[in-house]
Amino acid sequence: MRHKIEKTWEQRDMESVFHPFTDFGTLNSKGPVVLTHGDGIRVFDVHGKSYIDANSGLWNNVAGFNHQGIIDALCQQARKFPGYHSFFGRVADTTVALAEKLVELSPFSDGKVYFTNSGSEANDSVVKMLWMLHRRNGQSQRRKIITRLNAYHGVTVATASMTGKAYNAEFGLPLPGFLQTDCPHYWRFGRDGESELEFSQRLARNLEELIIKEGADTIAGMFAEPVQGAGGVIPPSEGYFEEIRPILRKYKIPLIADEVICGFGRTGTMWGSVKYNMEPDAIVASKCITAGYFPMGAVILGKELSEELIRVSEEAEEFPHGFTAGGNPLGCAVALKSIEVIENEGLMENVVKVSPHFMQRLRKLGEHKYAGEARGVGLMGAVEIVADKKTKQALPSELQISERIANKALEKGLICRPLGAAIVLGPAFIITEKEIDEIFDILEETMVEVFSDVGL
Ligand SMILES: *Cc1c(COP(=O)(O)O)cnc(C)c1O
């Protein structure tokens, strides 16, 4: 009898998994990293090799990978009532408790929560809410959505159309009616002699011109991340939201804060939209809401928007939209516990405490000859690689410099994320200063080696 040759996990992955957002060149040459478990901010692969994860998964595993309190909350809920929907006026008690908690945490005096399973679904749901609302209000032409260059709002057909990234051309997106305004990145788009505030004012004028050109009564709403995340960690330029807010009010265009990354402490405060004076009409949350332990998205509607939506839904008899697993009580129990851990077990305090050290090490990395800008806030940061600090010219894209850096770092046991020409970091909220040093020590060493490898 022939012996069956055992395949490795890597081979099994290559034969069975179709990976999202994965560089196939790297995958085919280096193979996947198959993980088994985590401890604190570290994860372990099938060979027992450990990696320090400087991205907390995808921004979301903020309490580390083995938080007993959150695991217990999940198990307890599983024993009590493991799943129910929220259709037809039915709902799990735990789901109600989380909705109350989210409204209480929000900057709104009152409001309502709509549950989904992901950030994309939450943004997509808001688009449908706005479309229905305007249509019921006799403005069925009010359908256009404004977002910004480099925005990331998700991957559904509508939210990919709202994502200001070139790769969506692969799908023939954006759909018509999805408009793009400027990205508030002063270092990249500021003009010679223009102050940061003048830059924000110019962007606000451009936004108003776009609104007038398109017709204010054709625009359903504007979506913005407080700090652009997947666009490469771009905090807004000085005064940006203060400048655009009055314009949106003037034309009665709702502003939605996509807090999928910023929400629950990433910037050192509960909401990025509060930190940057966005004064949104609704907040979209996901990622940190369950510390990465369960899929969940939520739309927190402010008082005015929720009242209007309830009114038009009563007229229509229902809001004809919902996800089977939206508001699943397992996720809600996990979210309630995760939020408690962030608020009351020192995670938020820790972000505030270690952020100055994180930013200081990031800025030091930014002194590297080929580092154009080191930027960030709270526990999110990026260093952008350029050929020339002055002209901000990028290195030839064939060099794949950020991919190279991330691949080499991985060999050294560090997970960090290449994003365009930048390396992006977003560690867990439990990170210590010592672990921050470990990340940056590896990254500094890696950059020196990679630049010497490519002959720079
Ligand atoms: C990740 C992300 C989304 C999409 O969330 P998914 O859960 O991946 O669908 C939307 N908006 C922002 C700002 C994000 O970072």
Side-chain angles (χ1 to χ4, degrees):
M1 215 176 93
R2 277 178 55 191
H3 283 288
K4 196 169 152 223
I5 295 169
E6 249 194 75
K7 289 179 185 165
T8 64
W9 278 105
E10 289 82 0
Q11 285 168 326
R12 289 165 65 181
D13 168 88
M14 294 295 281
E15 287 173 14
S16 63
V17 178
F18 183 19
H19 284 268
F21 284 113
T22 296
D23 182 272
F24 277 88
T26 305
L27 182 67
N28 292 333
S29 62
K30 310 241 171 208
V33 180
V34 185
L35 301 166
T36 53
H37 68 289
D39 182 14
I41 70 166
R42 269 164 235 274
V43 286
F44 295 82
D45 73 12
V46 286
H47 309 287
K49 177 171 173 175
S50 91
Y51 304 83
I52 185 163
D53 187 344
N55 294 98
S56 47
L58 270 178
W59 305 100
N60 54 349
N61 286 102
V62 291
F65 295 96
N66 56 345
H67 192 287
Q68 283 312 308
I70 304 175
I71 294 165
D72 289 345
L74 177 64
C75 295
Q76 259 172 33
Q77 181 66 43
R79 280 188 285 268
K80 182 177 157 236
F81 195 23
Y84 213 78
H85 62 85
S86 320
F87 287 32
F88 325 127
R90 283 149 223 182
V91 72
D93 53 0
T94 311
T95 308
V96 177
L98 178 61
E100 281 175 349
K101 180 70 194 174
L102 291 174
V103 174
E104 179 202 312
L105 274 183
S106 80
F108 308 126
S109 61
D110 206 346
K112 285 205 156 59
V113 179
Y114 188 90
F115 289 107
T116 70
N117 308 297
S118 70
S120 300
E121 289 175 359
N123 280 315
D124 202 290
S125 300
V126 180
V127 172
K128 286 175 81 175
M129 287 173 191
L130 294 172
W131 284 350
M132 178 169 167
L133 176 67
H134 297 315
R135 186 177 163 278
R136 281 266 158 195
N137 282 340
Q139 291 195 296
S140 48
Q141 82 291 351
R142 204 170 178 118
R143 292 179 65 81
K144 292 176 190 165
I145 301 288
I146 300 179
T147 59
R148 303 172 302 166
L149 175 68
N150 287 326
Y152 187 87
H153 297 296
V155 295
T156 62
V157 173
T159 57
S161 293
M162 294 156 64
T163 289
K165 299 273 209 166
Y167 55 68
N168 281 313
E170 291 295 340
F171 311 107
L173 296 174
L175 293 177
F178 287 83
L179 313 174
Q180 203 174 83
T181 190
D182 306 277
C183 164
H185 190 186
Y186 177 62
W187 174 79
R188 175 58 70 194
F189 301 113
R191 290 176 181 158
D192 282 345
E194 186 178 48
S195 76
E196 192 164 339
L197 188 59
E198 286 163 355
F199 168 73
S200 298
Q201 288 163 344
R202 172 160 65 84
L203 265 46
R205 283 197 303 277
N206 287 351
L207 174 63
E208 183 159 22
E209 274 168 28
L210 176 73
I211 293 168
I212 292 168
K213 185 180 116 235
E214 295 287 335
D217 67 347
T218 68
I219 295 166
M222 175 165 175
F223 289 69
E225 300 152 84
V227 179
Q228 289 191 327
V233 184
I234 302 167
S237 50
E238 181 192 344
Y240 173 77
F241 285 111
E242 290 89 341
E243 292 294 327
I244 69 161
R245 198 66 190 93
I247 293 166
L248 296 171
R249 272 216 186 87
K250 179 170 159 192
Y251 296 103
K252 299 194 166 52
I253 297 170
L255 175 61
I256 315 305
D258 182 346
E259 294 260 15
V260 171
I261 286 178
C262 294
F264 307 99
R266 178 60 71 186
T267 67
T269 55
M270 187 53 70
W271 305 110
S273 56
V274 172
K275 185 183 188 91
Y276 295 110
N277 299 317
M278 274 179 85
E279 300 178 10
D281 297 290
I283 282 175
V284 168
S286 187
K287 295 201 168 104
C288 306
I289 196 171
T290 51
Y293 284 44
F294 204 86
M296 169 173 287
V299 183
I300 311 172
L301 296 158
K303 184 168 188 291
E304 222 169 284
L305 203 51
S306 66
E307 283 172 1
E308 284 199 68
L309 277 161
I310 299 289
R311 178 177 53 77
V312 297
S313 299
E314 280 168 0
E315 277 173 34
E317 290 184 0
E318 66 176 358
F319 178 55
H321 171 83
F323 299 97
T324 302
N328 178 294
L330 287 176
C332 294
V334 169
L336 280 164
K337 183 64 190 181
S338 301
I339 293 167
E340 188 193 310
V341 165
I342 290 170
E343 266 194 302
N344 304 327
E345 283 185 22
L347 263 64
M348 181 84 93
E349 279 160 41
N350 191 57
V351 175
V352 174
K353 180 175 149 253
V354 303
S355 170
H357 187 62
F358 174 77
M359 288 303 300
Q360 186 236 321
R361 290 291 316 249
L362 186 74
R363 297 230 156 84
K364 189 159 156 270
L365 200 63
E367 288 167 12
H368 188 281
K369 187 171 165 217
Y370 292 105
E373 188 189 40
R375 55 180 179 262
V377 59
L379 275 183
M380 58 197 300
V383 57
E384 186 147 335
I385 311 298
V386 290
D388 183 322
K389 264 187 199 284
K390 263 223 182 67
T391 64
K392 302 170 188 173
Q393 175 80 37
L395 287 165
S397 59
E398 315 85 78
L399 268 183
Q400 289 204 301
I401 198 73
S402 59
E403 282 279 340
R404 275 175 199 266
I405 293 169
N407 290 343
K408 184 126 219 168
L410 191 75
E411 286 169 18
K412 295 173 186 285
L414 169 68
I415 293 176
C416 61
R417 181 166 169 201
L419 221 164
I423 295 288
V424 163
L425 305 171
F429 298 174
I430 57 167
I431 196 168
T432 61
E433 295 198 352
K434 195 162 155 271
E435 288 165 331
I436 289 173
D437 284 333
E438 194 180 333
I439 289 172
F440 283 98
D441 289 348
I442 297 176
L443 212 46
E444 278 172 11
E445 183 188 291
T446 304
M447 275 173 64
V448 170
E449 288 176 21
V450 167
F451 281 104
S452 126
D453 286 353
V454 299
L456 285 167

